[in-house]
Structure formats: structure tokens, C-alpha cells
Amino acid sequence: MSAELSGRKNLLGSTDVRDPDVSVLPDIQGQDNVEVLVASADKNEPLVTRKELWSYYLYYNGDNGVGPLGYTQTLFQDLATNAGHDPVAGPGSSCTALNASGQCVLPWGSGTKSVASIVLLANGISFAIMTSILTTIGSAGDYGTFGRWLLFVVTVVCWAAQYACMALTSPSRWKLAMVLYIIGFVSYGATLVFYAAAFPRLARNTPLSRKLREKYENGEISAEEYETEESLEKNRISNISTMHSNVGYVATYVPNLALLLPPATANSPLVDNYVLILDNTYWVLLGIWWFIYQLPRHGPPLPKGEHYLTIGWKQIWAAVKTYKHLPHTFVYLVAYFLLADGLNTTGTLISICQNAKFSFSFLTLTYIGLSQAITSTISTLGFWYIQRHWKISTKKMFVVTNVVTVLIPLWGMIGIWTDKFGFHNEWEFWAYNIVFGLFQAPYYAFSQTMMAELSPPGFDNMFFGLFGLSNRASSMVGPNVIQAIIDETGNNWQGFPFLFALCTAASVIIWFAVDVEKGRRAAVKWASSRRS
């Protein structure tokens, strides 16, 4: 049963008569005597097949980030460090000498800049470019088949950038390494956003979601039960896809050891490059199936007179102007902007310290990565089992992961005042990766489900584009602030207090100011009045 709408206008001014994707249903059980708004899939859209769902999982299995987020940064930082000099010893000195001061700078502009600051600056540039892409064309993916092609293009660009890393053969090419790192980082972040944007529509079209919808329409289940079960179905797909990403970590790290352990390959000056090629090939082999088996679920045609390069800004502006109608959605987006900024920059800062501590060893980083990947896989399944068994809400599960998000930079702060703790010892980096795996892997699954719950149906690319700004492109602030602090103090650990404050403030806002149930119903109501 669809809502009959008359005289209402969509974001660009055209009149709506009937909304195919949203239904306004009365609570037929009579609970609380309220009107319940329920999102449903367009019945003209195909049901999700087993092949399609598995190809969706396999794409994320390959798109695990080991190359673009891990090894590429390590290779870039390694080349930059070997090209730099110790500012204490002066130009011509080596940053890796036994008597080195621990500082390392490179010529930058009319002076010098520390390697850590350059890496953070590269991240800041990456996030700025990503922001431009997501705001300009991100929400255009809601129209026609544009979203499908967006994911394909950014995926191919990322694959090409990873293969191009074979050209990084000497420290003198650290600038090329920086460029390839930025291209890979931007395109990889875009793949995550556009991949996640396909999730809500996919979840609404599973056989179970359709069955739940029919049961509700027929009066067999209450509104409360429908919303709970539909939310669990979203969590099921989100958690399983996240688990596959972590399985992908393991499946790439293990073959890497076949290159990093045998003396014949381990002693090759290009072994790190070979590892990147191996990981990228793994993603190509698993990721291509999504573009083959993804079923067509087209959005509406682009409105007459509009263009894909301009409609994104119009859509976002129209959405932002309606923040009063979607208060919980926008509070979550703002808070998650801060939280993602804090978490992403914390991870980058710890990686910089970790790379230096382990002398940029791909072998050691592979072992550490395996510890995180294995615990991530176990924890994702464990959190999903607990949630499903006790039917715990998405927000409550997300809150548990937020606590650890706050504690990580707090631990780093300790390193300002003592060398005994606070990411100064090897065991701390092992512990960090294990704890990260146990709690932060589920964090990504639940944050995505929260966004799916709060997004107006049919505007998935628009709101997941905004979510992408919060999750990936938000971090224009953190890296730039932290690199300025490091330049001023010469101490990497001085950046942790700012990150702790950022994560704490964002978590408190999410805990106390976001009501998912109210936000979900407001989102469906908004979509009902706006979609054509």
C-alpha cells in the first residue's frame, strides 16, 4: 500500500503523485494509536539473488584496504624517510643512522618539513579531493544507473594506482609515491562510499525483507516487530560484509608471507612492490564479480535540464535545508564527522609511530595486520551473534564500540609524559591492533547500519555521500591540525590530546542526542513527501 500524495514537490520542484519506494502504513495492531511509516522496496525491483549477495560480499573481501591504506602509506613513508635528512646532524645526514636523533625532514618550499607532517598533509589533501568528488557527483548516483558506473570507475582508478606502485623503486621517487598514495587513497575511499550506498537498496530487496513487509501489510506482525526484524536484516548484511572485509585481510596477508619470508624474494629490493601487486590482484579477482552479477535497480531519470555535475550540489543543499525535518539524521552526520575525523587521524598517527618503530618492515607489519584481521573477523561474528540473540538495537551496539574509540587516543596521550607507555613499545602496537580488531571492526558495521536506518529511502547515494564526507572526507581537519602541532613541537605524541577531545565530544553527542527510532520514521516521512 503506497502513500497517495498530491501537490507536494520534490527537491527540484516537480510534483509528486505517488511514491513507489515508501509506504505510509497505519499501525494495524493499534499500538499507541500512532501512524507508522515503513520503508519498502519498489516491487518492480528484482529480488536479491544468492549470486548477487555473494558478489557484494566478495567485493568487500577484496576491497579490504591492505594495499591502499596500509602498505602504500608504509612504502611512501619509507621512501620519504630514506630521501630525508636528520635536522640535528644537518643536510647530507641519514635519518636511519644509528646515531640519528629520531627526527627526519625533507626540503619543502623554502624550508623543510618533517616526514610525519608530509604524510599527514598528503592525507589532508586526499580528504579535500574526496570531499570535492563526493559533493559534486556523489548524490547523482541516485539517478538512473550513474551510481553503478561511479563505483566501477573509482575502482578501476584505484586498481591502476596500485599497479603503478611498481615504479616506486628508489627514495628519489618519494614525490611520485606521494602522488600515487593520494590517488589510491582518494579512489579507495570513494569505493567505500559508493559501495556502501548500494547497501540500503540491497537490504530492502532481500527475500526476508520482502517477506517481513508482506507480513506487516497482512497484519501478521506489529509495527515494532517489523522495525526490529528489518533492522536486524540490515545488520546481518552489514556485519557479514564487514566480516568478509576482515577475511580479506587474512587472505591477503597470508600469501604476502610467501614473498616476505623466503630469502630469494625477501632480499629483493622490490619485494614491497611485489606485495602491493599481489594484494591488488586479489582485489581484482574478487571484486569484478559485483559488476557482473549486480542486478539493475535504477533510480529515477535525471530531471530535465539538470546535469550530473550540478545536481549533486542542488540535492545536498536541498537536503541540508530540511535539517529541521531530519534532526536525528543530521545530528548523527555532524557527530560522526567529528568521530570519523578523530578515529581516522588517530589511526594515521599511530601508523606513523608504528612504521618508525618497526623500521618500515613489511614482514612485521604483515604479522601485526594478521593479528588485527583475525580478531576483527571473530569480533564481527561475535557482536552479530550477541545482537541477534538478544535483539539489541544498533545504537546500543555502536555505543560499546565508541568507548574504545575514545580510549585509544587517551592511551596515546600517556606517551607525552613517559616513555614507558603510550605507543612507545612494540607490545603496545600489537595490543593496539588486537584491541582495534576486537572493537573497531564492528564499529564500521554498526555505523553503516545506523546511517542506513536514518537515511530517507530512495536518497541512498545522497545521504551516504554525506556519510562519506563524515567518514572519509571529514578528515581534512584532523591531519592538518595534527601536522601543525607536530611541526610546532617536534613530538608526534602531542597530537593525541586533540584527538581524544574530538572523539569524546562526538561520542557523547551520538550517545545522548540521536534517537534512531524517531530518526528512521522522520526519514521515511521526508522521503514520502519528496520522492517522485
Side-chain angles (χ1 to χ4, degrees):
M1 177 167 39
S2 296
E4 297 294 337
L5 304 172
S6 62
R8 295 187 178 180
K9 299 206 171 181
N10 68 9
L11 294 177
L12 299 172
S14 61
T15 302
D16 288 354
V17 178
R18 188 177 177 87
D19 182 356
D21 287 332
V22 181
S23 293
V24 182
L25 301 172
D27 183 354
I28 54 181
Q29 300 291 331
Q31 294 182 353
D32 299 323
N33 241 350
V34 297
E35 184 181 51
V36 177
L37 296 111
V38 177
S40 67
D42 184 347
K43 293 181 180 179
N44 294 322
E45 291 182 347
L47 276 173
V48 175
T49 64
R50 187 175 181 84
K51 281 185 178 180
E52 183 183 25
L53 190 58
W54 269 95
S55 67
Y56 185 76
Y57 293 151
L58 288 177
Y59 179 92
Y60 207 20
N61 189 308
D63 190 20
N64 50 61
V66 169
L69 292 187
Y71 288 141
T72 307
Q73 178 184 316
T74 302
L75 184 59
F76 163 38
Q77 189 179 343
D78 185 18
L79 294 177
T81 299
N82 281 283
H85 68 268
D86 186 340
V88 176
S93 60
S94 172
C95 295
T96 58
L98 293 177
N99 60 346
S101 67
Q103 301 180 54
C104 189
V105 298
L106 279 163
W108 191 269
S110 58
T112 61
K113 186 179 283 289
S114 72
V115 170
S117 293
I118 290 173
V119 174
L120 286 165
L121 182 62
N123 276 26
I125 293 172
S126 299
F127 289 124
I129 296 172
M130 206 182 303
T131 299
S132 176
I133 292 173
L134 294 178
T135 51
T136 302
I137 62 175
S139 60
D142 287 323
Y143 293 94
T145 60
F146 193 60
R148 184 173 186 168
W149 287 106
L150 273 178
L151 180 59
F152 179 74
V153 170
V154 295
T155 299
V156 171
V157 169
C158 193
W159 288 346
Q162 292 294 283
Y163 281 130
C165 287
M166 274 304 299
L168 305 178
T169 56
S170 68
S172 63
R173 296 185 176 180
W174 70 268
K175 292 181 180 178
L176 175 61
M178 182 176 180
V179 171
L180 290 177
Y181 172 67
I182 290 173
I183 294 173
F185 196 99
V186 170
S187 54
Y188 172 75
T191 66
L192 295 182
V193 173
F194 299 138
Y195 168 85
F199 160 63
R201 191 175 292 273
L202 199 71
R204 291 197 297 270
N205 283 285
T206 64
L208 179 57
S209 292
R210 291 284 186 89
K211 186 177 181 180
L212 287 169
R213 177 72 168 76
E214 291 173 3
K215 282 187 174 181
Y216 181 80
E217 287 179 328
N218 296 331
E220 298 175 27
I221 57 176
S222 66
E224 182 181 8
E225 185 178 356
Y226 172 82
E227 290 185 330
T228 299
E229 294 298 329
E230 189 197 39
S231 177
L232 287 173
E233 174 69 350
K234 290 176 184 174
N235 275 287
R236 179 181 74 88
I237 296 175
S238 183
N239 277 280
I240 292 177
S241 63
T242 302
M243 180 207 69
H244 269 279
S245 176
N246 295 316
V247 169
Y249 271 97
V250 178
T252 50
Y253 277 132
V254 171
N256 290 346
L257 295 176
L259 289 173
L260 295 169
L261 286 176
T265 54
N267 295 327
S268 169
L270 296 179
V271 64
D272 295 347
N273 307 70
Y274 296 148
V275 167
L276 269 171
I277 299 305
L278 178 63
D279 294 345
N280 196 47
T281 301
Y282 177 83
W283 180 12
V284 173
L285 292 176
L286 269 67
I288 194 66
W289 302 107
W290 172 241
F291 303 108
I292 296 173
Y293 289 118
Q294 181 186 10
L295 295 176
R297 296 187 182 86
H298 301 163
L302 195 68
K304 188 176 181 179
E306 296 298 334
H307 194 277
Y308 284 113
L309 293 178
T310 57
I311 195 169
W313 287 97
K314 292 182 179 180
Q315 288 264 43
I316 290 173
W317 177 241
V320 170
K321 288 194 297 183
T322 63
Y323 71 94
K324 290 183 180 180
H325 302 287
L326 301 170
H328 298 282
T329 301
F330 279 94
V331 168
Y332 178 66
L333 283 169
V334 172
Y336 196 74
F337 180 99
L338 301 175
L339 184 64
D341 193 359
L343 179 62
N344 291 339
T345 309
T346 297
T348 301
L349 186 56
I350 293 174
S351 293
I352 290 170
C353 299
Q354 179 176 277
N355 288 337
K357 187 67 178 180
F358 293 110
S359 303
F360 312 102
S361 169
F362 268 41
L363 179 60
T364 303
L365 295 177
T366 297
Y367 285 135
I368 290 178
L370 273 171
S371 69
Q372 183 185 130
I374 293 170
T375 52
S376 295
T377 304
I378 295 171
S379 68
T380 303
L381 291 174
F383 270 75
W384 165 234
Y385 174 80
I386 292 170
Q387 183 185 29
R388 181 182 60 181
H389 185 75
W390 281 283
K391 297 189 184 299
I392 303 173
S393 70
T394 303
K395 181 182 174 180
K396 289 179 181 177
M397 300 298 290
F398 188 45
V399 165
V400 173
T401 67
N402 289 163
V403 174
V404 178
T405 304
V406 171
L407 292 178
I408 291 173
L410 177 61
W411 184 265
M413 283 175 58
I414 301 174
I416 297 175
W417 302 289
T418 177
D419 291 336
K420 295 181 178 179
F421 303 103
F423 298 118
H424 287 289
N425 307 289
E426 291 187 4
W427 68 265
E428 290 180 284
F429 294 107
W430 283 94
Y432 160 73
N433 280 275
I434 292 172
V435 170
F436 191 97
L438 289 174
F439 292 95
Q440 296 304 282
Y443 159 95
Y444 290 109
F446 294 127
S447 66
Q448 176 177 275
T449 306
M450 283 268 287
M451 191 65 243
E453 300 269 25
L454 295 169
S455 293
F459 293 86
D460 307 312
N461 273 81
M462 178 196 297
F463 281 88
F464 268 86
L466 293 174
F467 183 60
L469 294 179
S470 298
N471 187 24
R472 293 289 169 187
S474 65
S475 297
M476 291 183 294
V477 179
N480 288 306
V481 172
I482 300 305
Q483 66 98 8
I485 293 173
I486 292 174
D487 277 345
E488 180 69 24
T489 64
N491 187 336
N492 291 349
W493 282 260
Q494 291 289 346
F496 284 113
F498 172 78
L499 297 172
F500 170 69
L502 203 60
C503 291
T504 301
S507 296
V508 170
I509 293 172
I510 292 174
W511 297 348
F512 297 104
V514 178
D515 187 316
V516 177
E517 289 186 6
K518 291 182 179 178
R520 181 196 301 120
R521 295 183 180 184
V524 175
K525 184 176 181 180
W526 184 86
S528 178
S529 67
R530 297 291 181 178
R531 278 277 284 155
S532 73

